Amino acid sequence: MRRAFLLPALVAMVLTVPAIAPAQLFGIGKKPSAQSQIKLGRQAAQDLRKQGHVLPDNDPRVRTLRRVAQRLLSTIEADEPWEYSFDMIDSKEVNAFALPGGAVFFYTGLYDRLKTEDELAGVLAHELTHVRREHWARRSAEQQKRNGLLMIGMIALGANNNVAQGVGLVNSMYTMQFSRGDENDADVRGFDMMTKAGYNPEGMADVFRMLGSLGGKQPEFLSDHPSDKNRVNRIEDLAKKSGKSYPPLTPIRN
Ligand SMILES: [Zn+2]
């Protein structure tokens, strides 16, 4: 889904990764450290921005995206190392994703289909949870354990250890499918984050419904479980069980 668009960036990153991914940072099968996640994500984000499809800072959609994101981030109390950034890519693709370490990319193809700031907050809170809970890093460690033999093969064929590990890690940032458990975690904690920030959780359920009705390829938000109506039901259950009344939905004005 993301591969065609990202291929030039991916090639560029494969070439640049060894400089930022020394082997000692990533022992095979070990979860990459927070600093490693931030470095990898930052490099990938810079390469994505260089492709020239990112909207300028003064675009009203970018401003709305960052304003809603800041409101969500203001609910985080603990000290966290993540380096957040929020960019909007001008593309018809219906997508949004977070790179490890905190760089979030939102596509106009998804943004333009959203009706309320609560929907936007729902997607962002879900993606921010993937970052904060280090879902990519955990899956990456598991994947590397499984792919250990493949890497040893690459090294035998002449790729050095850093390159082999770097290629595997970078590719996995775009091709990894989160587990159902990770998706549940992102929904439930995303729900907490958005409601703490004063958004109406119905926005998250609305996005699931809207995306479910599109058919075809699905964005990260739905991952590999596009028809799972349980996700809508769970959000609505959480809202009911909280016993709280939520503010009205806020329409997006631009
Ligand atoms: Zn997700």
Side-chain angles (χ1 to χ4, degrees), residues 96-163:
F97 62 90
L99 293 171
V104 177
F105 288 87
F106 217 100
Y107 289 63
T108 52
L110 173 57
Y111 183 91
D112 292 344
R113 287 173 191 272
L114 302 181
K115 294 192 170 62
T116 67
E117 290 191 7
D118 309 82
E119 292 174 37
L120 178 56
V123 177
L124 283 173
H126 174 102
E127 294 300 330
L128 289 172
T129 304
H130 282 313
V131 174
R132 301 177 69 209
R133 300 278 289 166
E134 303 178 75
H135 288 156
W136 171 82
R138 289 174 208 287
R139 296 298 145 251
S140 172
E142 287 171 8
Q143 210 170 57
Q144 280 188 59
K145 265 182 211 159
R146 282 197 300 272
N147 292 349
L149 279 176
L150 186 74
M151 262 186 236
I152 290 164
M154 280 179 77
I155 293 161
L157 286 171
N160 78 34
N161 191 31
N162 287 353
V163 173

Side-chain angles (χ1 to χ4, degrees), residues 126-127 130 178 183 186 220-221:
H126 174 102
E127 294 300 330
H130 282 313
F178 292 120
E183 291 304 328
E220 190 293 311
F221 194 48

Side-chain angles (χ1 to χ4, degrees), residues 58-132:
N58 62 1
D59 186 288
R61 289 171 289 186
V62 176
R63 289 181 177 206
T64 302
L65 172 73
R66 291 180 181 163
R67 178 170 49 76
V68 172
Q70 283 312 315
R71 196 164 135 189
L72 291 169
L73 292 177
S74 72
T75 64
I76 299 175
E77 284 156 17
D79 258 4
E80 293 187 2
W82 313 116
E83 193 178 279
Y84 294 110
S85 61
F86 300 89
D87 286 290
M88 184 87 70
I89 294 180
D90 193 8
S91 160
K92 284 192 165 59
E93 200 174 324
V94 181
N95 205 358
F97 62 90
L99 293 171
V104 177
F105 288 87
F106 217 100
Y107 289 63
T108 52
L110 173 57
Y111 183 91
D112 292 344
R113 287 173 191 272
L114 302 181
K115 294 192 170 62
T116 67
E117 290 191 7
D118 309 82
E119 292 174 37
L120 178 56
V123 177
L124 283 173
H126 174 102
E127 294 300 330
L128 289 172
T129 304
H130 282 313
V131 174
R132 301 177 69 209

